């Protein structure tokens, strides 16, 4: 796969570092992920307000962080609910803090980042169930979070893109309001057969998400109780995607997940959903987290912000 000159430089540095998650214990891998994203994400942009929350769900509590950028009027606001990436094994509110701040500022909206249970302690579909329950909780308690329920979007990257697609399906079925789903290089197909997608072979050795790391995630995120045919695990297998929220689907050309993102965008369109598919050739997985390293990240942030502003009717 041909990489852009800038991306090739980043990939070269990753290969020179020669650090593999498979060589680390789980706790060290999680901390390494947080530390790496702190470097690649650049300086955190200031917010007018950040508020820590705890969502009390059935049998568990989930952390959440609410970002309100400078200039956002008090009271109910257009809101993007965001789920972090990390292969359902890594990541938390801290790992994607810089991403969330950038999106909130550029879109001029409130952003609520939601944590979820990680594997292997809680294998799929636990994270999907958390995402669905958390979104429903935010809708039902919108006043407590200054959320304008008529201007709500959901989004996330990688595993978070998977969770966002799942939430969009659940929102349709539950009748919850949702104006936009932002799926950033999402994982959409966890069947064994999905290993045969051409992008899985073509980009198998392109960091950060190599075939080796995909296998590492797979060994930890699923267990004997995980059904890969369940739409909460493989949303591309849902009976229909019809009547889900309009979508912005982001794919990267040098990404093992490219094909399933492309196919999901096509399936949305085939089922009558309004889809904007933004493809970045020569760019790698995880690039939304690389504000300090790649110019393409700013372009991506602006593309997402423009979609959020349009679908949530944000002016000014």
């Amino acid at each position: 796969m041909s990489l852009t000159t800038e991306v090739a430089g980043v990939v070269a540095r990753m290969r020179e570092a020669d650090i593999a998650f498979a060589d680390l214990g789980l706790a060290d891998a999680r901390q390494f992920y947080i530390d790496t994203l702190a470097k690649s994400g650049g300086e955190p942009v200031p917010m007018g307000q950040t508020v820590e929350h705890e969502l009390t769900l059935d049998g568990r509590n989930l952390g959440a962080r609410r970002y309100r950028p400078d200039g956002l009027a008090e009271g109910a606001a257009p809101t993007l609910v965001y789920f972090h990436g990390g292969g359902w094994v890594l990541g938390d509110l801290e790992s994607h803090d810089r991403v969330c701040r950038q999106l909130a500022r550029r879109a001029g909206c409130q952003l609520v980042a939601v944590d979820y249970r990680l594997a292997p302690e809680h294998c799929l579909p636990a994270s999907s169930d958390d995402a669905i329950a958390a979104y429903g909780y935010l809708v039902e308690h919108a006043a407590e979070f200054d959320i304008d329920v008529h201007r709500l979007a959901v989004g996330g990257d990688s595993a978070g893109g998977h969770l966002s697609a799942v939430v969009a399906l659940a929102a349709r079925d539950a009748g919850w309001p949702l104006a936009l789903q932002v799926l950033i290089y999402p994982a959409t197909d966890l069947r064994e057969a999905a290993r045969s997608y051409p992008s899985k072979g073509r980009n198998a050795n392109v960091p950060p998400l190599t075939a080796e790391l995909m296998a590492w995630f797979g060994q930890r995120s699923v267990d004997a109780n995980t059904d890969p045919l369940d739409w909460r695990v493989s949303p591309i297998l849902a009976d229909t995607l019809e009547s889900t929220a309009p979508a912005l689907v982001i794919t990267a050309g040098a990404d093992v997940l490219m094909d399933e993102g492309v196919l999901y965008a096509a399936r949305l369109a085939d089922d009558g959903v309004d889809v904007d598919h933004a493809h970045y050739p020569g760019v790698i997985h995880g690039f939304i987290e690389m504000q300090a390293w790649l110019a393409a990240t700013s372009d991506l942030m602006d593309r997402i912000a423009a979609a959020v502003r349009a679908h949530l009717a944000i002016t000014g």
Side-chain angles (χ1 to χ4, degrees):
M1 165 55 61
S2 176
L3 302 174
T4 68
T5 301
E6 188 178 40
V7 170
V10 170
V11 167
R13 292 200 299 272
M14 289 180 179
R15 286 175 171 154
E16 287 169 6
D18 194 27
I19 298 175
F21 283 101
D23 296 333
L24 303 173
L26 187 59
D28 288 341
R30 286 173 173 167
Q31 189 59 51
F32 178 71
Y33 185 67
I34 293 170
D35 294 344
T36 300
L37 268 56
K39 297 173 184 175
S40 65
E43 289 298 317
V45 298
M47 288 285 104
Q49 184 183 35
T50 60
V51 184
E52 303 295 326
H53 293 277
E54 190 170 76
L55 311 185
T56 304
L57 307 180
D58 185 18
R60 74 267 193 207
N61 294 326
L62 301 179
R65 182 176 296 163
R66 190 157 52 104
Y67 300 84
R68 292 180 69 92
D70 290 321
L72 188 65
E74 293 184 7
T79 301
L80 170 63
V81 178
Y82 196 87
F83 296 101
H84 66 78
W88 309 279
V89 177
L90 311 174
D92 59 13
L93 298 180
E94 289 305 319
S95 67
H96 284 64
D97 179 72
R98 288 161 174 78
V99 170
C100 293
R101 288 169 179 268
Q102 286 279 354
L103 291 174
R105 185 189 68 173
R106 292 178 189 235
C109 72
Q110 175 174 258
L111 187 149
V112 179
V114 179
D115 226 344
Y116 51 88
R117 290 174 295 172
L118 297 176
E121 296 91 338
H122 305 280
C123 290
L124 284 163
S127 55
S128 296
D129 291 340
D130 285 354
I132 293 168
Y135 188 82
Y137 184 95
L138 292 172
V139 169
E140 293 166 8
H141 297 82
E144 298 173 25
F145 294 87
D146 289 329
I147 293 172
D148 181 345
V149 293
H150 302 294
R151 295 192 288 170
L152 255 176
V154 68
D157 60 291
S158 195
H162 163 270
L163 297 178
S164 299
V166 167
V167 166
L169 287 161
R172 175 199 64 188
D173 295 344
W176 295 328
L178 182 62
L180 175 69
Q181 53 179 316
V182 180
L183 313 182
I184 306 162
Y185 36 80
T188 63
D189 190 347
L190 270 68
R191 295 174 297 170
E192 189 80 18
R195 296 183 181 181
S196 65
Y197 285 139
S199 64
K200 294 279 178 72
R202 186 173 62 248
N203 300 317
N205 297 315
V206 181
L209 188 58
T210 61
E212 180 184 35
L213 182 54
M214 283 282 292
W216 189 85
F217 284 139
Q219 291 161 5
R220 286 156 181 78
S221 60
V222 302
D223 62 13
N225 297 316
T226 304
D227 179 5
L229 304 183
D230 185 336
W231 63 270
R232 296 171 299 165
V233 177
S234 299
I236 202 168
L237 300 182
D239 289 339
T240 180
L241 307 183
E242 184 179 3
S243 300
T244 57
L248 170 61
V249 181
I250 308 293
T251 54
D255 180 8
V256 290
L257 296 183
M258 187 196 82
D259 286 341
E260 55 197 272
V262 169
L263 288 171
Y264 199 77
R267 174 123 196 263
L268 283 164
D270 289 345
D271 286 350
V273 178
D274 179 16
V275 182
D276 178 10
H277 177 199
H279 181 66
Y280 289 78
V283 178
I284 54 178
H285 189 87
F287 75 106
I288 196 171
E289 301 148 357
M290 301 178 185
Q291 175 71 18
W293 295 352
L294 296 175
T297 304
S298 281
D299 181 80
L300 171 60
M301 294 281 192
D302 287 341
R303 186 72 175 262
I304 295 170
V308 170
R309 293 176 71 87
H311 287 273
L312 303 191
I314 300 171
T315 60

